[in-house]
Amino acid sequence: MARQFDLHRLRLLRELAHRGTISAVAAAMSYSHSSVSQQLKVLESEVGVSLLEPDGRRVRLTPEADILVQHVESILEQLDQADADLAGAAGEIAGTFRIATFQTVIVALMPNLLTILRDNHPRLNLELVQADPGPALSRLQVGEFDLVFAELFAGQPPARSTAVKQTVLHRDTMRLAVPPAGLPLSDAQRVEDLADAVWVMEPAGSPAREWADRICGAAGFMPKVRFESPDMVVHERLVRGGHAVGFLPDLLWVETLPTVGLHTLPDGGYKDIIGSVRAGTSHHPAVTAAMDALHTASTQAADTIAARLAARL
């Protein structure tokens, strides 16, 4: 006999798989902890197998729950596809569209992207959040965001998930940055010349730091990192003041002329801007419009940056 499943309770189980704790699910869904626990117990009764088991003060999903979550993901992807088809049939792009991205893209590309979407699709209500790519991708999968922009440095593998579709939207060149003329190390042009220099880099453990350490390692040394920050503006200020050397992305120069010495890196001196959406929404009209707007914004930014660098390098 076929079992009867409640989609709402199935969603709660899937939320638990992504968020890790019942408390996190309760907070995200605006429920009480006890309400979520009770609903999951009812789901266990419906399916006839244990779905949760103790894990210290928490719970973890059983193998049977993992199987069920895989099917829930497929069901929700089909519902996303249905929503995309209905939106396409409506003929007008409207509703709320939530974007998450990191600082460089917010500053360099988002203002232009938002203007393009506002002018072309005035009924599309846009929400923008600055968020770390890792947590943002998890929130994408549970529907908190519709599009996440992340960065993937040369040599790093892309995320592998059938639930998420990723597209390379822009390649951002990374350059060696040294202090301006008149300050120490302003004449250095190669990474290998800076083995004894003080560096500014992103925090240890981040993808950007892994890439930077790898670039320096290929030059024969491990960098002396005395300054750490995820903020590229901080990096630029420290280099400009002669306090450190570092690596800076070209997107930093969309709004201003470079004020530091910039030099081309060997192969692998770049990062890709990746757009991630839920697989079922990849053909949604709002997703397509946002991707097109980002392409336009990045093309215009590339032209501006090329002109600024040509005048500086």
Side-chain angles (χ1 to χ4, degrees):
M1 179 180 295
R3 296 182 175 91
Q4 298 296 314
F5 297 107
D6 181 274
L7 182 58
H8 172 66
R9 286 190 275 272
L10 290 173
R11 282 182 182 271
L12 290 178
L13 182 66
R14 185 245 197 172
E15 291 275 342
L16 180 59
H18 283 284
R19 298 185 187 277
T21 67
I22 291 177
S23 295
V25 174
M29 305 290 285
S30 298
Y31 293 147
S32 67
H33 186 286
S34 61
S35 177
V36 173
S37 296
Q38 182 61 35
Q39 290 296 307
L40 291 173
K41 289 179 181 178
V42 172
L43 180 61
E44 284 187 319
S45 177
E46 290 175 341
V47 301
V49 297
S50 296
L51 299 176
L52 305 176
E53 56 189 14
D55 183 17
R57 294 185 177 182
R58 300 183 178 186
V59 295
R60 64 171 177 263
L61 273 61
T62 64
E64 292 82 3
D66 289 332
I67 292 172
L68 189 55
V69 168
Q70 291 177 20
H71 287 285
V72 175
E73 297 284 10
S74 297
I75 292 168
L76 295 178
E77 180 178 334
Q78 292 179 4
L79 290 176
D80 276 338
Q81 292 172 350
D83 180 61
D85 290 341
L86 289 172
E92 184 179 15
I93 299 176
T96 299
F97 192 76
R98 296 151 296 189
I99 301 173
T101 187
F102 56 99
Q103 184 203 38
T104 305
V105 168
I106 279 189
V107 174
L109 301 178
M110 285 299 104
N112 198 7
L113 178 144
L114 295 175
T115 298
I116 293 169
L117 290 177
R118 180 192 62 197
D119 293 346
N120 293 337
H121 309 289
R123 293 193 61 201
L124 185 63
N125 299 315
L126 296 163
E127 297 180 358
L128 179 63
V129 174
Q130 180 177 332
D132 290 335
L137 286 172
S138 296
R139 295 170 67 183
L140 170 77
Q141 293 187 60
V142 296
E144 289 188 31
F145 298 128
D146 300 302
L147 173 61
V148 171
F149 292 119
E151 55 188 358
L152 185 67
F153 286 81
Q156 295 174 344
R160 299 293 183 185
S161 172
T162 57
V164 174
K165 181 176 180 180
Q166 297 188 313
T167 304
V168 176
L169 300 170
H170 177 77
R171 176 156 291 184
D172 190 16
T173 298
M174 299 291 295
R175 299 182 192 273
L176 176 64
V178 298
L183 292 175
L185 301 177
S186 61
D187 294 333
Q189 298 185 15
R190 303 180 304 168
V191 177
E192 49 264 43
D193 297 331
L194 297 167
D196 295 324
V198 171
W199 288 77
V200 55
M201 290 187 177
E202 296 204 31
S206 66
R209 179 63 169 272
E210 185 275 332
W211 169 86
D213 284 343
R214 182 155 37 85
I215 292 291
C216 291
F221 67 94
M222 290 304 295
K224 299 176 182 178
V225 181
R226 293 187 185 171
F227 306 106
E228 290 187 352
S229 173
D231 189 333
M232 289 296 100
V233 175
V234 172
H235 289 217
E236 187 274 339
R237 290 295 299 272
L238 289 172
V239 175
R240 185 176 8 135
H243 303 291
V245 298
F247 300 112
L248 295 177
D250 276 2
L251 280 179
L252 198 62
W253 315 116
V254 169
E255 297 292 337
T256 184
L257 284 169
T259 55
V260 298
L262 296 170
H263 304 288
T264 302
L265 293 171
D267 292 343
Y270 66 87
K271 62 180 177 180
D272 288 329
I273 308 302
I274 307 291
S276 299
V277 299
R278 293 187 301 282
T281 68
S282 59
H283 67 287
H284 194 288
V287 169
T288 300
M291 294 292 202
D292 290 344
L294 191 281
H295 177 73
T296 299
S298 62
T299 299
Q300 294 173 353
D303 291 342
T304 299
I305 291 166
R308 292 185 187 279
L309 291 177
R312 181 67 176 81
L313 295 180

